Amino acid sequence: VRCTSAAEVADAIARLAVRGAPAIGLAAAYGLAVEARRGGDVHAAAELLASTRPTAVNLRWALDRATEQGTDAEALERFADGLARAQLEQDKAIARLGSELIAPGSRVLTHCNTGALATGGGGTALGVIVAAQPSHVWVDETRPLFQGARLTAWELQQEGLSFEVVPDASAAALMARGLVDAIVVGADRIAANGDTANKIGTYGVAVAAAHHGIPFYVAAPLSSVDPAAPDGAAIPIEERAEEEVLSALGVPVAPPGANARNLAFDVTPADLIAGIVCEAGVMRPPYGAAIARALAARPETGVLQDRDT
Ligand code: MRU
């Protein structure tokens, strides 16, 4: 997908041509650089880009850091390049740290897509899974848009890992049969207390995992943390078009005239999360203190400068 203006990037983000919290932050940063290059209004472009998807805080975080650089095209492009390099490094650290949580021979379940296609780097939760080399991966198909079946399955094929795509509704049944040893998912926004918004269906997986005593981990960079949101109730949840639920990839499944509710994300309470893996380490409950410490230790911009690489 070739974008030559911020409006085209905003459209690509809104229709999920690029999706996944870190990847949309990165795309938006490049969107500003492209807009500056064509002589457009960078601040208006930032507002347009920020309005596309409300839940992933990486989008707003990247736009705020980018506009701090000014409106010069070269400076904005340098910032976006630095962000891309930083995400690669962060993903590597997350994969290494998170893989230590997964015992050899584990069967791991994941939800949505958190691989390279979602970050621009090596992936967060899926990066952890690939680094851990589990014996099997259960891939939730991730209704209504099938990020699991379409993207995660493809990425696992490239990695040569053993996996099966499963309907979202079967995750609890797989746990009840003793077929799941650990769960790793990504995040769109982590509140200051550790409550975590992620793709709709994640919360149900976490509830079932708690019932079955299975560890449920979140893997995400610190740019997914929103210290201004005290808890999950403060996280805005995107609602998308009814048609995404009433049809499956364009094929109508519900009768004409049926209505649908399409919450794109849900919030998993911190007390259901065994650990949050970020580039600085594995945070454990109580998350409030651990998150505050990790944010305080983070470099000012969270973006690598040329001299850092
Ligand atoms: O609607 P999407 O496909 O952008 O949702 C993506 C997710 O929920 C991911 O789990 C999250 O953004 C983390 S991606 C590393």
Side-chain angles (χ1 to χ4, degrees), residues 13 16 18-24 53 55-56 58 91 110-120 123-126 142 145 147 151 185-189 197-200 202 219-221 224 238 240 264-265:
I13 294 173
L16 310 197
V18 56
R19 35 63 55 203
I24 61 179
R53 302 205 68 194
T55 302
N58 310 62
D91 284 5
T110 192
H111 191 76
C112 200
N113 172 261
T114 58
L117 291 170
T119 71
T124 56
L126 203 63
T142 317
L145 296 178
Q147 286 92 333
L151 307 177
V185 299
D188 285 85
R189 191 183 298 227
N198 192 49
K199 178 53 58 194
I200 192 75
T202 304
S224 299
E238 177 182 5
R240 295 183 60 85
F265 300 96

Side-chain angles (χ1 to χ4, degrees), residues 83 106 111 147 200 246 248 277 279 289 298:
L83 184 59
S106 291
H111 191 76
Q147 286 92 333
I200 192 75
L246 297 172
V277 187
E279 63 271 30
R298 178 170 66 165

Side-chain angles (χ1 to χ4, degrees), residues 194-269:
D195 291 353
T196 296
N198 192 49
K199 178 53 58 194
I200 192 75
T202 304
Y203 173 42
V205 171
V207 169
H211 180 73
H212 292 288
I214 298 167
F216 176 97
Y217 299 110
V218 169
L222 287 170
S223 55
S224 299
V225 174
D226 180 7
D231 57 32
I235 299 177
I237 299 296
E238 177 182 5
E239 296 209 25
R240 295 183 60 85
E242 290 181 69
E243 290 70 45
E244 290 181 352
V245 176
L246 297 172
S247 62
L249 300 178
V251 179
V253 288
N259 296 115
R261 185 82 185 262
N262 190 6
L263 299 173
F265 300 96
D266 57 27
V267 175
T268 298

Side-chain angles (χ1 to χ4, degrees), residues 97-225:
L97 294 160
S99 66
E100 289 165 16
L101 300 170
I102 310 295
S106 291
R107 294 146 309 169
V108 179
L109 183 139
T110 192
H111 191 76
C112 200
N113 172 261
T114 58
L117 291 170
T119 71
T124 56
L126 203 63
V128 168
I129 290 169
V130 168
Q133 292 285 302
S135 64
H136 196 65
V137 187
W138 300 110
V139 178
D140 278 359
E141 62 177 354
T142 317
R143 277 284 289 154
L145 296 178
F146 300 102
Q147 286 92 333
R150 297 163 77 188
L151 307 177
T152 303
W154 183 82
E155 293 189 327
L156 288 172
Q157 272 178 342
Q158 310 304 304
E159 297 293 342
L161 274 176
S162 161
F163 73 90
E164 284 165 293
V165 179
V166 292
D168 300 337
S170 64
L174 292 171
M175 294 182 213
R177 289 179 178 214
L179 297 173
V180 181
D181 301 303
I183 293 140
V184 192
V185 299
D188 285 85
R189 191 183 298 227
I190 301 173
N193 72 342
D195 291 353
T196 296
N198 192 49
K199 178 53 58 194
I200 192 75
T202 304
Y203 173 42
V205 171
V207 169
H211 180 73
H212 292 288
I214 298 167
F216 176 97
Y217 299 110
V218 169
L222 287 170
S223 55
S224 299
V225 174

